[in-house]
Amino acid sequence: MKTLLQCTLIGAVTLTVSACKEGNSPFNQLPDFVQGEVVSNQYDGVNNDLLTGGLGASGLASGTPPAFDDPINPTPEELRTLAIYNNYRALVDTVPGGGYGEFFGPQVGSGGEGLIPGEEHLAYMTVEGTDVPVTVMVQVPDSFDPDQACMITAPSSGSRGIYGAIGTAGEWGLKKGCAVVYTDKGTGTGSHNLATNAAQRIDGTLTRADEPVQFRADLDAQARADFDAAWPDRFAYKHAHSQVNPEADWGRHVLQSIEFGFYVLNEKFGQETGNDRKVIKIKPKNTLVIASSVSNGGGASVRAAELDDSDLIDGVAVSEPNVNPRVDTSFTIRQGNGPELAEHSRSLLDYTTALAVYQGCANIAPEVRDVAPLNATFNNFTIAENICNSLANKGLVAGATTDDRATDALRILEEDVGIQPEQNLLAPIHFGLAVAQSISTTYANTYARAGVEDRLCDISLAATGAGGAVVPLTEAQEAALFSASNGIPPSAGMSLVYDDAEGQPTNLAASASPSSSQQDYGLDALLCLRSLALGTDVVSGSELSESDADMAERIAGGIEEVRASGNLQGKPTVFVTGRADAILPINHTSRPYFGLNQRAEGSDSNLRYYEILNAHHLDVLNGFQVPGLADTYVPLHHYYFQALDLVWANLTEKQALPPSQVVRTLPRGDLGTPLSEANLTPIAANPDAGDLIVFSDNQVQIPD
């Protein structure tokens, strides 16, 4: 049986590609996991391109986003351009003086505006056991040399859509002349308007028709109507509500994206045989493949390397990876002469629900309140005091005064949860951006495989207006969701709504809990999420109700499905992580993964871990020209590109990877001083003994 694939080429002719799906042979047949049509476009590098969506380096740096001619009916190309613009700028600091255009950016090493011509191929795929579509994409730059073939994986960071790694792995790979294979990992916006049934096609345009879309909730028409009548104007989101726990398959998504990449390359460069098959020219043995990306995408590539039984991947280079290492209490972590940490490897949901509950109060601890950058801008101190009071009334923090209670909340995060002190000054702005609150909500739902109808902890997703009340999302906002949303509300006009708030369903940030009757950021809802994460009522210490206990058990099972083994099968691997990471605390991610890997592989390990001082998770925050940000932190993005360079040199030139080490960067110290090489201490081939990170005597030892 043949599948005919229509491939529309921008500014060119229409191609027809035939592929047999039965009797699949590796890399010269369309893989069985690809569902439906492959949408292919050619970009000339003048009017449009692979990396910048035709905007060029200056367009990406512009503070004015590209506009739609018709805001309610944007074209696929308009949506793509805005998606590239927003996703690039979400991960890369493009503000002058921060390194853009000097150390990284489309124009660096390529000149001009950095537009890259080539082909782009987009499709849906599935993994065994579920029919929920996952988006996969392959970009092949015109500079790709089939005789020196290379491929870089670019799974999206966070819950972002298919262009979520365009500015990270995408930029490095395309400028290197490599094919870049992307996947949204089963996340992405994938919104489903439960009032209208509107959802996104693969190109981001909206449809209410019964046709392939990125996601629709598993509700029949009557169930959807009943839900909308009870909870009007709500949305379901793919990552939260697909009921498949996509994170459990992130590694498989990456491996399948590589297979799809080989198919696309052989369709382009393989020799014709006359029987609808191409002779395989590009294969794993003659193609250098580096699994890469940042944050969730980095974690997905790590999991892919662990699962790679077919030797598709040659090396791994990731930044700030979201890994949930398998808990192994046989080793500890120690920084300098500090205390030994045995309670490492907490799950993402564990530490994020702790941050969601306690950080709002900790924001006003005396050592943080007036020191943390933009604290008062992003956080309401009256609500913060209410959170402290609510926590105290529940016996969750101690102290007679607000300062005492806030200080105790900070102590709990540091001593009990294992948060780094370096995180404290960045945590308030992250709380104001609802980072922990959004992660807690989405991941509790996905780990539990909950449906939107479950409204876990009485939280739903909707637009909100005056006073935090639910309102319909505007047509223009909904039309742009593919391009503007990060896939994990609150984002792009969508809010977290506390349905059980005092008075009426209210934006979580503005809501009052029933137990307190004061605006406390819906603390009761956040405590509910914390209780589900820990499997016990965190307020009373008692057992959960039968229904909550069932949900907590499902969540625990979902977390176990995403645990990493630590076995990278000897692949040369580099992790770079900022010590001040305020989203993925290093004591529960990169540091224990390094230890677990030493346990799993011992002397066969080729993992190197570089911990970067004065660096954190979101470089984009460095673009705020205020004291405590641009003058204090360096871009981790620079070290991510250095990690890729090191793995490339190891694989192509047999250059040894530098030993694991702490990299002591030098902050600018002045807002008016541009970033220079003097600030960016390189990863040293032969670091000082006092900078080495080692695993010795059952301990990960990190220098101060």
Side-chain angles (χ1 to χ4, degrees), residues 604-644:
D604 293 329
S605 171
N606 280 312
L607 170 63
R608 303 294 185 269
Y609 171 46
Y610 308 132
E611 190 166 296
I612 315 301
L613 301 190
N614 308 306
H616 61 98
H617 200 90
L618 294 177
D619 282 355
V620 66
L621 297 181
N622 298 351
F624 287 104
Q625 297 298 299
V626 298
L629 288 174
D631 58 346
T632 302
Y633 299 103
V634 301
L636 186 63
H637 186 62
H638 169 75
Y639 289 96
Y640 167 58
F641 278 7
Q642 190 173 357
L644 278 159

mmCIF file of all heavy atoms in Angstrom, residues 604-644:
data_model
loop_
_atom_site.group_PDB
_atom_site.id
_atom_site.type_symbol
_atom_site.label_atom_id
_atom_site.label_comp_id
_atom_site.label_asym_id
_atom_site.label_seq_id
_atom_site.Cartn_x
_atom_site.Cartn_y
_atom_site.Cartn_z
ATOM 1 N N ASP A 604 33.645 3.054 32.925
ATOM 2 C CA ASP A 604 33.231 3.148 31.525
ATOM 3 C C ASP A 604 32.504 4.451 31.221
ATOM 4 O O ASP A 604 32.171 4.719 30.068
ATOM 5 C CB ASP A 604 32.317 1.976 31.161
ATOM 6 C CG ASP A 604 33.047 0.642 31.174
ATOM 7 O OD1 ASP A 604 34.259 0.637 30.885
ATOM 8 O OD2 ASP A 604 32.411 -0.380 31.481
ATOM 9 N N SER A 605 32.234 5.247 32.245
ATOM 10 C CA SER A 605 31.482 6.481 32.040
ATOM 11 C C SER A 605 32.277 7.485 31.214
ATOM 12 O O SER A 605 33.473 7.695 31.429
ATOM 13 C CB SER A 605 31.123 7.117 33.387
ATOM 14 O OG SER A 605 30.576 8.403 33.193
ATOM 15 N N ASN A 606 31.578 8.128 30.289
ATOM 16 C CA ASN A 606 32.145 9.236 29.525
ATOM 17 C C ASN A 606 31.345 10.516 29.746
ATOM 18 O O ASN A 606 31.342 11.408 28.896
ATOM 19 C CB ASN A 606 32.174 8.899 28.031
ATOM 20 C CG ASN A 606 33.364 8.016 27.678
ATOM 21 O OD1 ASN A 606 34.484 8.306 28.083
ATOM 22 N ND2 ASN A 606 33.116 6.946 26.943
ATOM 23 N N LEU A 607 30.656 10.599 30.873
ATOM 24 C CA LEU A 607 29.900 11.796 31.220
ATOM 25 C C LEU A 607 30.804 12.819 31.882
ATOM 26 O O LEU A 607 31.573 12.490 32.789
ATOM 27 C CB LEU A 607 28.748 11.443 32.171
ATOM 28 C CG LEU A 607 28.013 12.623 32.820
ATOM 29 C CD1 LEU A 607 27.315 13.484 31.768
ATOM 30 C CD2 LEU A 607 27.001 12.125 33.856
ATOM 31 N N ARG A 608 30.707 14.072 31.423
ATOM 32 C CA ARG A 608 31.386 15.184 32.066
ATOM 33 C C ARG A 608 30.329 16.189 32.504
ATOM 34 O O ARG A 608 29.426 16.526 31.731
ATOM 35 C CB ARG A 608 32.370 15.861 31.120
ATOM 36 C CG ARG A 608 33.428 14.935 30.554
ATOM 37 C CD ARG A 608 34.384 14.399 31.629
ATOM 38 N NE ARG A 608 35.458 13.621 31.025
ATOM 39 C CZ ARG A 608 35.414 12.313 30.815
ATOM 40 N NH1 ARG A 608 34.326 11.630 31.176
ATOM 41 N NH2 ARG A 608 36.429 11.689 30.259
ATOM 42 N N TYR A 609 30.469 16.659 33.740
ATOM 43 C CA TYR A 609 29.516 17.610 34.303
ATOM 44 C C TYR A 609 30.220 18.917 34.608
ATOM 45 O O TYR A 609 31.177 18.945 35.381
ATOM 46 C CB TYR A 609 28.876 17.030 35.573
ATOM 47 C CG TYR A 609 28.039 18.022 36.349
ATOM 48 C CD1 TYR A 609 27.126 18.838 35.702
ATOM 49 C CD2 TYR A 609 28.156 18.129 37.733
ATOM 50 C CE1 TYR A 609 26.359 19.743 36.412
ATOM 51 C CE2 TYR A 609 27.390 19.030 38.453
ATOM 52 C CZ TYR A 609 26.494 19.837 37.783
ATOM 53 O OH TYR A 609 25.731 20.744 38.476
ATOM 54 N N TYR A 610 29.747 19.999 33.984
ATOM 55 C CA TYR A 610 30.324 21.319 34.187
ATOM 56 C C TYR A 610 29.285 22.212 34.873
ATOM 57 O O TYR A 610 28.226 22.492 34.293
ATOM 58 C CB TYR A 610 30.774 21.933 32.862
ATOM 59 C CG TYR A 610 31.674 21.026 32.050
ATOM 60 C CD1 TYR A 610 31.453 20.809 30.689
ATOM 61 C CD2 TYR A 610 32.752 20.363 32.649
ATOM 62 C CE1 TYR A 610 32.273 19.973 29.951
ATOM 63 C CE2 TYR A 610 33.574 19.520 31.911
ATOM 64 C CZ TYR A 610 33.329 19.326 30.572
ATOM 65 O OH TYR A 610 34.139 18.484 29.845
ATOM 66 N N GLU A 611 29.601 22.619 36.087
ATOM 67 C CA GLU A 611 28.693 23.467 36.867
ATOM 68 C C GLU A 611 29.171 24.910 36.752
ATOM 69 O O GLU A 611 30.290 25.242 37.164
ATOM 70 C CB GLU A 611 28.661 23.006 38.323
ATOM 71 C CG GLU A 611 27.581 23.674 39.146
ATOM 72 C CD GLU A 611 27.370 22.944 40.472
ATOM 73 O OE1 GLU A 611 26.950 21.757 40.443
ATOM 74 O OE2 GLU A 611 27.639 23.535 41.529
ATOM 75 N N ILE A 612 28.333 25.766 36.189
ATOM 76 C CA ILE A 612 28.726 27.123 35.834
ATOM 77 C C ILE A 612 28.266 28.090 36.929
ATOM 78 O O ILE A 612 27.063 28.197 37.207
ATOM 79 C CB ILE A 612 28.123 27.542 34.475
ATOM 80 C CG1 ILE A 612 28.289 26.416 33.436
ATOM 81 C CG2 ILE A 612 28.757 28.841 34.009
ATOM 82 C CD1 ILE A 612 29.706 26.005 33.157
ATOM 83 N N LEU A 613 29.215 28.784 37.533
ATOM 84 C CA LEU A 613 28.867 29.778 38.540
ATOM 85 C C LEU A 613 28.311 31.030 37.870
ATOM 86 O O LEU A 613 28.679 31.379 36.747
ATOM 87 C CB LEU A 613 30.081 30.134 39.396
ATOM 88 C CG LEU A 613 30.755 28.992 40.171
ATOM 89 C CD1 LEU A 613 31.769 29.556 41.157
ATOM 90 C CD2 LEU A 613 29.730 28.141 40.901
ATOM 91 N N ASN A 614 27.419 31.708 38.590
ATOM 92 C CA ASN A 614 26.788 32.948 38.109
ATOM 93 C C ASN A 614 25.985 32.714 36.834
ATOM 94 O O ASN A 614 25.918 33.577 35.951
ATOM 95 C CB ASN A 614 27.837 34.043 37.871
ATOM 96 C CG ASN A 614 28.736 34.253 39.069
ATOM 97 O OD1 ASN A 614 28.258 34.492 40.178
ATOM 98 N ND2 ASN A 614 30.046 34.127 38.869
ATOM 99 N N ALA A 615 25.373 31.540 36.744
ATOM 100 C CA ALA A 615 24.504 31.222 35.614
ATOM 101 C C ALA A 615 23.256 30.530 36.145
ATOM 102 O O ALA A 615 23.288 29.874 37.189
ATOM 103 C CB ALA A 615 25.225 30.329 34.602
ATOM 104 N N HIS A 616 22.166 30.669 35.400
ATOM 105 C CA HIS A 616 20.887 30.120 35.860
ATOM 106 C C HIS A 616 20.097 29.585 34.672
ATOM 107 O O HIS A 616 20.645 29.413 33.577
ATOM 108 C CB HIS A 616 20.099 31.178 36.643
ATOM 109 C CG HIS A 616 19.751 32.400 35.850
ATOM 110 N ND1 HIS A 616 18.533 32.585 35.267
ATOM 111 C CD2 HIS A 616 20.486 33.508 35.546
ATOM 112 C CE1 HIS A 616 18.499 33.750 34.635
ATOM 113 N NE2 HIS A 616 19.685 34.329 34.782
ATOM 114 N N HIS A 617 18.813 29.314 34.873
ATOM 115 C CA HIS A 617 18.021 28.560 33.903
ATOM 116 C C HIS A 617 17.505 29.408 32.743
ATOM 117 O O HIS A 617 17.410 28.930 31.613
ATOM 118 C CB HIS A 617 16.830 27.904 34.612
ATOM 119 C CG HIS A 617 16.232 26.762 33.860
ATOM 120 N ND1 HIS A 617 16.641 25.462 34.015
ATOM 121 C CD2 HIS A 617 15.253 26.712 32.916
ATOM 122 C CE1 HIS A 617 15.941 24.664 33.227
ATOM 123 N NE2 HIS A 617 15.089 25.409 32.544
ATOM 124 N N LEU A 618 17.125 30.644 33.014
ATOM 125 C CA LEU A 618 16.462 31.460 32.007
ATOM 126 C C LEU A 618 17.327 32.665 31.640
ATOM 127 O O LEU A 618 17.201 33.738 32.232
ATOM 128 C CB LEU A 618 15.089 31.930 32.515
ATOM 129 C CG LEU A 618 14.030 30.854 32.736
ATOM 130 C CD1 LEU A 618 12.757 31.476 33.297
ATOM 131 C CD2 LEU A 618 13.716 30.098 31.451
ATOM 132 N N ASP A 619 18.177 32.502 30.648
ATOM 133 C CA ASP A 619 19.043 33.600 30.214
ATOM 134 C C ASP A 619 18.246 34.837 29.829
ATOM 135 O O ASP A 619 18.745 35.966 29.927
ATOM 136 C CB ASP A 619 19.884 33.173 29.014
ATOM 137 C CG ASP A 619 21.059 32.297 29.399
ATOM 138 O OD1 ASP A 619 21.285 32.090 30.602
ATOM 139 O OD2 ASP A 619 21.745 31.809 28.487
ATOM 140 N N VAL A 620 17.003 34.629 29.369
ATOM 141 C CA VAL A 620 16.204 35.768 28.923
ATOM 142 C C VAL A 620 16.026 36.788 30.041
ATOM 143 O O VAL A 620 15.902 37.994 29.775
ATOM 144 C CB VAL A 620 14.835 35.288 28.388
ATOM 145 C CG1 VAL A 620 13.990 34.677 29.495
ATOM 146 C CG2 VAL A 620 14.086 36.417 27.693
ATOM 147 N N LEU A 621 16.071 36.357 31.301
ATOM 148 C CA LEU A 621 15.938 37.295 32.413
ATOM 149 C C LEU A 621 17.130 38.240 32.487
ATOM 150 O O LEU A 621 17.014 39.349 33.028
ATOM 151 C CB LEU A 621 15.784 36.545 33.739
ATOM 152 C CG LEU A 621 14.544 35.661 33.894
ATOM 153 C CD1 LEU A 621 14.533 35.002 35.262
ATOM 154 C CD2 LEU A 621 13.269 36.469 33.682
ATOM 155 N N ASN A 622 18.273 37.810 31.967
ATOM 156 C CA ASN A 622 19.442 38.686 31.970
ATOM 157 C C ASN A 622 19.212 39.938 31.122
ATOM 158 O O ASN A 622 19.927 40.931 31.274
ATOM 159 C CB ASN A 622 20.677 37.946 31.442
ATOM 160 C CG ASN A 622 21.058 36.763 32.313
ATOM 161 O OD1 ASN A 622 20.528 36.577 33.397
ATOM 162 N ND2 ASN A 622 21.977 35.951 31.821
ATOM 163 N N GLY A 623 18.211 39.857 30.240
ATOM 164 C CA GLY A 623 17.900 41.004 29.403
ATOM 165 C C GLY A 623 17.236 42.148 30.141
ATOM 166 O O GLY A 623 17.162 43.269 29.619
ATOM 167 N N PHE A 624 16.731 41.880 31.356
ATOM 168 C CA PHE A 624 16.210 42.970 32.171
ATOM 169 C C PHE A 624 17.401 43.804 32.662
ATOM 170 O O PHE A 624 18.242 43.318 33.407
ATOM 171 C CB PHE A 624 15.433 42.439 33.372
ATOM 172 C CG PHE A 624 14.091 41.862 33.040
ATOM 173 C CD1 PHE A 624 13.886 40.487 33.010
ATOM 174 C CD2 PHE A 624 13.018 42.697 32.750
ATOM 175 C CE1 PHE A 624 12.641 39.955 32.705
ATOM 176 C CE2 PHE A 624 11.768 42.169 32.445
ATOM 177 C CZ PHE A 624 11.579 40.810 32.416
ATOM 178 N N GLN A 625 17.457 45.033 32.248
ATOM 179 C CA GLN A 625 18.596 45.879 32.600
ATOM 180 C C GLN A 625 18.397 46.499 33.978
ATOM 181 O O GLN A 625 18.181 47.714 34.125
ATOM 182 C CB GLN A 625 18.784 46.943 31.528
ATOM 183 C CG GLN A 625 19.126 46.395 30.156
ATOM 184 C CD GLN A 625 20.455 45.638 30.148
ATOM 185 O OE1 GLN A 625 21.503 46.202 30.431
ATOM 186 N NE2 GLN A 625 20.401 44.341 29.836
ATOM 187 N N VAL A 626 18.417 45.646 34.983
ATOM 188 C CA VAL A 626 18.258 46.089 36.366
ATOM 189 C C VAL A 626 19.355 45.447 37.205
ATOM 190 O O VAL A 626 19.858 44.361 36.874
ATOM 191 C CB VAL A 626 16.870 45.705 36.941
ATOM 192 C CG1 VAL A 626 15.760 46.380 36.146
ATOM 193 C CG2 VAL A 626 16.678 44.187 36.939
ATOM 194 N N PRO A 627 19.747 46.100 38.289
ATOM 195 C CA PRO A 627 20.758 45.502 39.169
ATOM 196 C C PRO A 627 20.316 44.133 39.673
ATOM 197 O O PRO A 627 19.152 43.919 40.010
ATOM 198 C CB PRO A 627 20.852 46.512 40.319
ATOM 199 C CG PRO A 627 20.402 47.807 39.731
ATOM 200 C CD PRO A 627 19.335 47.444 38.738
ATOM 201 N N GLY A 628 21.257 43.222 39.700
ATOM 202 C CA GLY A 628 20.977 41.875 40.179
ATOM 203 C C GLY A 628 20.683 40.877 39.085
ATOM 204 O O GLY A 628 20.545 39.680 39.356
ATOM 205 N N LEU A 629 20.591 41.328 37.834
ATOM 206 C CA LEU A 629 20.370 40.407 36.721
ATOM 207 C C LEU A 629 21.489 40.541 35.694
ATOM 208 O O LEU A 629 22.455 39.792 35.718
ATOM 209 C CB LEU A 629 18.985 40.633 36.100
ATOM 210 C CG LEU A 629 17.802 40.158 36.957
ATOM 211 C CD1 LEU A 629 16.469 40.555 36.338
ATOM 212 C CD2 LEU A 629 17.846 38.647 37.163
ATOM 213 N N ALA A 630 21.389 41.508 34.786
ATOM 214 C CA ALA A 630 22.384 41.623 33.719
ATOM 215 C C ALA A 630 23.799 41.793 34.248
ATOM 216 O O ALA A 630 24.763 41.306 33.643
ATOM 217 C CB ALA A 630 22.026 42.795 32.806
ATOM 218 N N ASP A 631 23.939 42.476 35.386
ATOM 219 C CA ASP A 631 25.274 42.716 35.932
ATOM 220 C C ASP A 631 25.790 41.563 36.781
ATOM 221 O O ASP A 631 26.954 41.553 37.187
ATOM 222 C CB ASP A 631 25.283 44.007 36.751
ATOM 223 C CG ASP A 631 24.268 43.974 37.897
ATOM 224 O OD1 ASP A 631 23.395 43.078 37.896
ATOM 225 O OD2 ASP A 631 24.341 44.849 38.771
ATOM 226 N N THR A 632 24.921 40.589 37.062
ATOM 227 C CA THR A 632 25.248 39.523 38.022
ATOM 228 C C THR A 632 25.436 38.159 37.369
ATOM 229 O O THR A 632 26.218 37.340 37.860
ATOM 230 C CB THR A 632 24.127 39.434 39.086
ATOM 231 O OG1 THR A 632 23.998 40.714 39.725
ATOM 232 C CG2 THR A 632 24.430 38.371 40.132
ATOM 233 N N TYR A 633 24.743 37.917 36.256
ATOM 234 C CA TYR A 633 24.741 36.582 35.656
ATOM 235 C C TYR A 633 25.292 36.595 34.235
ATOM 236 O O TYR A 633 25.175 37.585 33.514
ATOM 237 C CB TYR A 633 23.321 36.010 35.660
ATOM 238 C CG TYR A 633 22.758 35.857 37.054
ATOM 239 C CD1 TYR A 633 21.825 36.761 37.550
ATOM 240 C CD2 TYR A 633 23.198 34.833 37.892
ATOM 241 C CE1 TYR A 633 21.319 36.636 38.835
ATOM 242 C CE2 TYR A 633 22.705 34.706 39.178
ATOM 243 C CZ TYR A 633 21.769 35.609 39.651
ATOM 244 O OH TYR A 633 21.288 35.492 40.921
ATOM 245 N N VAL A 634 25.886 35.468 33.860
ATOM 246 C CA VAL A 634 26.385 35.277 32.500
ATOM 247 C C VAL A 634 25.458 34.306 31.775
ATOM 248 O O VAL A 634 24.721 33.547 32.407
ATOM 249 C CB VAL A 634 27.828 34.726 32.504
ATOM 250 C CG1 VAL A 634 28.762 35.672 33.247
ATOM 251 C CG2 VAL A 634 27.884 33.323 33.106
ATOM 252 N N PRO A 635 25.461 34.321 30.440
ATOM 253 C CA PRO A 635 24.561 33.429 29.700
ATOM 254 C C PRO A 635 25.023 31.974 29.730
ATOM 255 O O PRO A 635 26.111 31.646 29.247
ATOM 256 C CB PRO A 635 24.593 33.992 28.279
ATOM 257 C CG PRO A 635 25.906 34.700 28.178
ATOM 258 C CD PRO A 635 26.191 35.235 29.548
ATOM 259 N N LEU A 636 24.194 31.098 30.269
ATOM 260 C CA LEU A 636 24.481 29.664 30.223
ATOM 261 C C LEU A 636 24.475 29.175 28.779
ATOM 262 O O LEU A 636 25.151 28.190 28.446
ATOM 263 C CB LEU A 636 23.448 28.901 31.052
ATOM 264 C CG LEU A 636 23.687 27.405 31.227
ATOM 265 C CD1 LEU A 636 24.977 27.131 31.992
ATOM 266 C CD2 LEU A 636 22.495 26.746 31.940
ATOM 267 N N HIS A 637 23.725 29.866 27.936
ATOM 268 C CA HIS A 637 23.636 29.514 26.515
ATOM 269 C C HIS A 637 25.025 29.418 25.874
ATOM 270 O O HIS A 637 25.279 28.533 25.045
ATOM 271 C CB HIS A 637 22.795 30.585 25.812
ATOM 272 C CG HIS A 637 22.494 30.311 24.379
ATOM 273 N ND1 HIS A 637 21.769 29.214 23.958
ATOM 274 C CD2 HIS A 637 22.797 31.004 23.246
ATOM 275 C CE1 HIS A 637 21.640 29.247 22.646
ATOM 276 N NE2 HIS A 637 22.262 30.318 22.185
ATOM 277 N N HIS A 638 25.920 30.297 26.252
ATOM 278 C CA HIS A 638 27.282 30.266 25.716
ATOM 279 C C HIS A 638 27.958 28.938 26.048
ATOM 280 O O HIS A 638 28.652 28.347 25.208
ATOM 281 C CB HIS A 638 28.088 31.430 26.300
ATOM 282 C CG HIS A 638 29.560 31.352 26.034
ATOM 283 N ND1 HIS A 638 30.111 31.627 24.801
ATOM 284 C CD2 HIS A 638 30.601 31.010 26.846
ATOM 285 C CE1 HIS A 638 31.412 31.467 24.865
ATOM 286 N NE2 HIS A 638 31.746 31.097 26.081
ATOM 287 N N TYR A 639 27.758 28.459 27.267
ATOM 288 C CA TYR A 639 28.400 27.204 27.685
ATOM 289 C C TYR A 639 27.708 25.993 27.070
ATOM 290 O O TYR A 639 28.343 24.944 26.866
ATOM 291 C CB TYR A 639 28.442 27.140 29.209
ATOM 292 C CG TYR A 639 29.430 28.138 29.768
ATOM 293 C CD1 TYR A 639 29.006 29.392 30.207
ATOM 294 C CD2 TYR A 639 30.793 27.863 29.798
ATOM 295 C CE1 TYR A 639 29.914 30.328 30.680
ATOM 296 C CE2 TYR A 639 31.706 28.791 30.261
ATOM 297 C CZ TYR A 639 31.262 30.020 30.701
ATOM 298 O OH TYR A 639 32.171 30.942 31.146
ATOM 299 N N TYR A 640 26.426 26.130 26.772
ATOM 300 C CA TYR A 640 25.741 25.062 26.045
ATOM 301 C C TYR A 640 26.370 24.881 24.664
ATOM 302 O O TYR A 640 26.651 23.749 24.242
ATOM 303 C CB TYR A 640 24.255 25.396 25.923
ATOM 304 C CG TYR A 640 23.511 24.539 24.935
ATOM 305 C CD1 TYR A 640 23.469 23.151 25.068
ATOM 306 C CD2 TYR A 640 22.851 25.113 23.848
ATOM 307 C CE1 TYR A 640 22.788 22.365 24.149
ATOM 308 C CE2 TYR A 640 22.169 24.338 22.936
ATOM 309 C CZ TYR A 640 22.144 22.961 23.086
ATOM 310 O OH TYR A 640 21.472 22.186 22.172
ATOM 311 N N PHE A 641 26.622 25.988 23.973
ATOM 312 C CA PHE A 641 27.281 25.875 22.670
ATOM 313 C C PHE A 641 28.697 25.332 22.824
ATOM 314 O O PHE A 641 29.178 24.569 21.978
ATOM 315 C CB PHE A 641 27.298 27.233 21.974
ATOM 316 C CG PHE A 641 26.022 27.575 21.250
ATOM 317 C CD1 PHE A 641 24.894 26.774 21.363
ATOM 318 C CD2 PHE A 641 25.942 28.695 20.444
ATOM 319 C CE1 PHE A 641 23.716 27.073 20.694
ATOM 320 C CE2 PHE A 641 24.774 29.010 19.759
ATOM 321 C CZ PHE A 641 23.651 28.199 19.888
ATOM 322 N N GLN A 642 29.380 25.681 23.900
ATOM 323 C CA GLN A 642 30.714 25.128 24.120
ATOM 324 C C GLN A 642 30.629 23.626 24.371
ATOM 325 O O GLN A 642 31.495 22.860 23.919
ATOM 326 C CB GLN A 642 31.410 25.826 25.289
ATOM 327 C CG GLN A 642 32.886 25.454 25.392
ATOM 328 C CD GLN A 642 33.644 26.260 26.436
ATOM 329 O OE1 GLN A 642 33.095 27.148 27.076
ATOM 330 N NE2 GLN A 642 34.908 25.935 26.621
ATOM 331 N N ALA A 643 29.579 23.187 25.067
ATOM 332 C CA ALA A 643 29.384 21.745 25.284
ATOM 333 C C ALA A 643 29.235 21.018 23.954
ATOM 334 O O ALA A 643 29.827 19.945 23.740
ATOM 335 C CB ALA A 643 28.151 21.516 26.161
ATOM 336 N N LEU A 644 28.443 21.585 23.053
ATOM 337 C CA LEU A 644 28.291 20.976 21.728
ATOM 338 C C LEU A 644 29.621 20.954 20.984
ATOM 339 O O LEU A 644 29.968 19.955 20.338
ATOM 340 C CB LEU A 644 27.242 21.745 20.931
ATOM 341 C CG LEU A 644 25.784 21.372 21.215
ATOM 342 C CD1 LEU A 644 24.839 22.483 20.785
ATOM 343 C CD2 LEU A 644 25.420 20.064 20.520
#
